[in-house]
Amino acid sequence: MNLLKKDIIFSDVNKLKGVGKQLSKYLKNKKIEKVKDILLNLPYSETDRSRIINLNKLEIGKIQTIRVIVKKLNFPRIRNLPNKIICENESGKIEIVYFNSREGYLRKIFPINKWVVISGKISFFNKKYQITNPDYVTHLDKEEYVRQIIPKYSLTKGINEKKYRLISDQVINNLPDVQEWYESHFLKKNNFLNWKENIVTLHKTKDSQNNSSRTYKRLVFDEIFANFLVLSENRKKIKKNKKNKFFKSIISKKILENLPFKLTKSQKNVLEEINLDLKSNTKMFRIVQGDVGSGKTIVSLLSIANVVENKQQCALMAPTEILAKQHFDLAKKIFINTKIKINFLTGKTEVKKRKKIINDLENGKLDFIIGTHSLFQKKINFKNLGLAIIDEQHKFGVKQRSELAKKGGNNCDLLLMSATPIPRTMMMSLYGDMDISKITEKPAKRKKIITLSKPEKKINELWSFIKKQININNQVFWVCPLIKESSFLDYSSAKKKFDIINKRFPNKVGLIHGALDKIEKEKVLNKFLNKEIFILVSTTVIEVGIDFPNANLIIIENANKFGLAQLHQLRGRVGRGDKQGLCILLFKEGLSQNAIKRIKILKESDDGFYIAEEDMRLRGFGDIIGYQQSGIKNFRFADPVVHEDLFVLAEKYIKSIDINVNESKYAFLLKLFDKAEIINQDID
Ligand code: ADP
Ligand code: MG
């Protein structure tokens, strides 16, 4: 057979021999659409058909291979009775059983008194060994094809091993050489095989069953590297945008003096990094990472002050109306003695006001606009937008981010803020296209939240405690467990809890859950903010970012259903004022060792980054809520916990080489992992 052409690797599987419409459909169910998907569909085990087993040494239930003489074919004329072929050799006798098989076909493959090789699962019935519907029957001249250790792939209806082998052999045995995309010294140093040899070995040996074999590791590395290539390319494209603005950093003393507190060292450092970006002649594309309560808002407002002093406009976007409103109120307070003109725009802003705001933005009468998504409508044009800030947007993927970078034109700097702590090794995979600033400390006076755990059956001990809290004007969050992914079940469990609590504290309780629409949600949250209610029962929908300075107690039911990072985020809702915050984790009886470990970590640490890393170690990466949408789950082979070292290695390597992503060797790699389209997308 000829070697496959390179471009066949990226065409549809139906380009292969023997793959028609029906089979394509079955393969598609296994996510095998292109020829290259066959390469990436690794065997999970193997079947040893290589050894010929004596008939007196057969093992029932095992797949084995025998070499026998066909003695007799038996075709009963009664319906539903199977056809039987009696075979034997010097070591014994065996029956081969067929349901629903044509006589002519069986006579052809089982010629009387001839030797055949048969491979299939051994059973024992009526004191006789049997093989029912064997996987392979062949004459001796072709036995080599059967007598092998054959890789086992996860297959579906319509495709059996024999059929799949015909397809995968065409690909794996005929791979073309491809130009290596790594430097040879790098391959050598890491004991990596070249690409072709590597992928063939993965299919033909047990290596694919061991995620730290050197071949599996090279595949993982390829995947990580492809991912990093995309990000670094995205970054290069963004950095190509030259800004044309004159900038002096002049945070006004007036504003700093007006702050009710001193900035932390970390806040100052981040501000300095932002200032350098603002001054530079390339576009800022930066994310500020800081744990809940680390004080990101003030950093963003001070950067804005800076830009406005330089006669440019700014926009601050928040994911919810309430959060935007809180930012607006804070901005008004902080900018009170300045000339900065601020306004507020959301989907709810009434038409007349909206028109005026849109006008003012176009004329440059407004310096600073705060709002929700509505800020990014097409209708809205700025006179000279210099800085756009997006709060709490850790969920944006690479593609959306490059879209964002386009908004506001070349002269507009872009700053994102996120409270989702990302383990260190994951930074590059998530934000490799951006510059990253970290706020690593919390305001000094902030008290560490006290975290306690309690068995659920002692829930009654809580009521008097809650009563005391309410009497001293403290507010309480009550988080109900997430029940699978059903918002209805979530709702009903939260509703039940609401009824129970509402009976004890009539008119003091509110309920918020995923099925409420945005407006209803905000209504309840506002009631809580305005202290019309004191206990807020909720599913996990409590919005990130909102400051509830008066909430000091959070109770989390069935806490083992949550990841550490998520528990940490939840408890970050309380203790934001000057009172002591308290978090009570309720558990069902009989905690596992793992659960005990997790509580211990939470009790001991309030460092979101540390907690995120521990969470990842304890639970594996897949479950960590908040990362799911981030795109990082798109890794098919790489596991951030198991392959941590490869992530680190990839980061080092990509920084050490000079890459022109348009080289064809990279195109091959990117196509292999479906990344080529992202990179071709033009963003300037
Ligand atoms: P996040 O980083 O979660 O967005 P915020 O910006 O909402 O945090 O700040 C949380 C609280 O901390 C706010 O009430 C804010 O006024 C306060 N804060 C911010 N910086 C400081 C500081 N340097 N010292 C004291 N309090 C601060
Ligand atoms: Mg915030």
Side-chain angles (χ1 to χ4, degrees), residues 77 123 152 181 195 209 226 276 312 325 400 449 553 627 668:
R77 300 302 165 197
S123 57
K152 203 162 167 177
W181 43 83
W195 178 78
Q209 296 168 49
L276 286 178
Q312 289 176 326
K325 182 72 172 31
Q400 288 161 305
I449 299 162
L553 171 61
Y627 300 162
F668 186 89

Coordinates of all heavy atoms in Angstrom, one line a residue, residues 77 123 152 181 195 209 226 276 312 325 400 449 553 627 668:
R77 N -32.6 -27.7 10.3 CA -33.6 -27.1 9.5 C -34.7 -26.5 10.4 O -35.8 -26.1 9.9 CB -34.2 -28.1 8.5 CG -33.2 -28.7 7.5 CD -32.5 -27.6 6.7 NE -31.3 -28.1 6.1 CZ -30.3 -27.3 5.6 NH1 -30.4 -26.0 5.7 NH2 -29.3 -27.9 5.0
S123 N -16.4 -20.5 25.3 CA -17.4 -20.7 26.3 C -17.5 -22.3 26.5 O -16.8 -23.0 25.8 CB -18.7 -20.2 25.9 OG -19.1 -20.7 24.6
K152 N -7.1 -2.6 21.2 CA -8.5 -2.6 21.5 C -8.9 -1.2 21.6 O -8.5 -0.4 22.4 CB -8.7 -3.3 22.8 CG -10.1 -3.9 23.0 CD -10.0 -4.9 24.1 CE -11.3 -5.4 24.6 NZ -11.1 -6.4 25.7
W181 N 8.3 19.5 14.2 CA 8.1 20.9 14.6 C 9.0 21.3 15.9 O 9.0 22.4 16.2 CB 6.6 21.3 14.8 CG 5.8 20.3 15.6 CD1 5.8 20.1 17.0 CD2 5.0 19.2 15.0 NE1 4.9 19.1 17.3 CE2 4.5 18.5 16.1 CE3 4.7 18.9 13.7 CZ2 3.6 17.4 15.9 CZ3 3.8 17.8 13.6 CH2 3.3 17.1 14.6
W195 N 7.5 12.4 15.4 CA 6.0 12.3 15.5 C 5.4 11.0 15.0 O 4.6 10.4 15.7 CB 5.4 13.5 14.7 CG 3.9 13.4 14.8 CD1 3.1 13.8 15.8 CD2 3.0 12.9 13.8 NE1 1.8 13.5 15.5 CE2 1.7 13.0 14.3 CE3 3.2 12.4 12.5 CZ2 0.6 12.6 13.5 CZ3 2.1 12.0 11.7 CH2 0.8 12.1 12.3
Q209 N -1.8 3.0 27.2 CA -2.5 2.7 28.5 C -1.8 3.4 29.7 O -2.2 3.2 30.8 CB -2.6 1.2 28.7 CG -3.4 0.6 27.6 CD -3.3 -0.9 27.6 OE1 -3.4 -1.6 28.7 NE2 -3.0 -1.5 26.5
A226 N 0.5 23.0 21.0 CA -0.5 23.5 20.0 C -1.3 24.6 20.7 O -1.6 25.7 20.1 CB -1.4 22.4 19.5
L276 N 2.5 51.4 33.2 CA 3.5 51.1 32.2 C 2.8 50.8 30.8 O 3.2 51.2 29.8 CB 4.4 50.0 32.6 CG 5.4 50.4 33.7 CD1 6.3 49.2 34.1 CD2 6.3 51.6 33.2
Q312 N -9.0 61.1 27.9 CA -9.6 60.0 27.2 C -10.8 59.4 28.0 O -10.8 59.5 29.2 CB -8.6 58.9 26.8 CG -7.6 59.3 25.8 CD -6.6 58.3 25.6 OE1 -6.2 57.6 26.5 NE2 -6.1 58.2 24.3
K325 N -23.9 48.7 39.5 CA -24.4 49.8 40.3 C -23.5 50.1 41.5 O -23.2 51.2 41.9 CB -25.8 49.5 40.8 CG -26.5 50.5 41.6 CD -26.9 51.7 40.7 CE -27.8 52.7 41.4 NZ -27.6 53.0 42.8
Q400 N -13.3 34.9 22.2 CA -14.0 36.1 22.6 C -13.1 37.2 23.0 O -13.4 38.4 22.8 CB -14.9 35.7 23.8 CG -16.1 34.9 23.5 CD -16.6 34.2 24.7 OE1 -15.9 33.5 25.4 NE2 -17.9 34.4 25.0
I449 N -11.7 34.8 57.7 CA -13.0 34.2 57.9 C -12.8 32.9 58.7 O -12.0 32.1 58.4 CB -13.8 33.9 56.6 CG1 -14.0 35.2 55.9 CG2 -15.1 33.2 56.9 CD1 -14.3 35.0 54.4
L553 N -22.3 35.8 58.0 CA -22.4 34.4 58.2 C -22.9 33.7 57.0 O -23.8 34.1 56.3 CB -23.4 34.1 59.4 CG -23.8 32.6 59.6 CD1 -22.6 31.8 60.0 CD2 -24.8 32.5 60.7
Y627 N -13.8 26.6 35.9 CA -12.8 26.4 34.8 C -13.5 25.8 33.6 O -13.0 25.8 32.5 CB -11.7 25.5 35.2 CG -10.9 26.0 36.3 CD1 -10.0 25.1 37.1 CD2 -10.9 27.3 36.7 CE1 -9.3 25.6 38.1 CE2 -10.2 27.8 37.8 CZ -9.4 26.9 38.5 OH -8.7 27.3 39.6
F668 N 0.5 21.7 10.4 CA 0.2 20.3 10.6 C -0.3 20.0 12.1 O -1.3 19.5 12.3 CB 1.3 19.4 10.2 CG 1.0 17.9 10.3 CD1 0.5 17.3 9.1 CD2 1.2 17.2 11.4 CE1 0.2 15.9 9.2 CE2 0.9 15.8 11.5 CZ 0.4 15.2 10.4

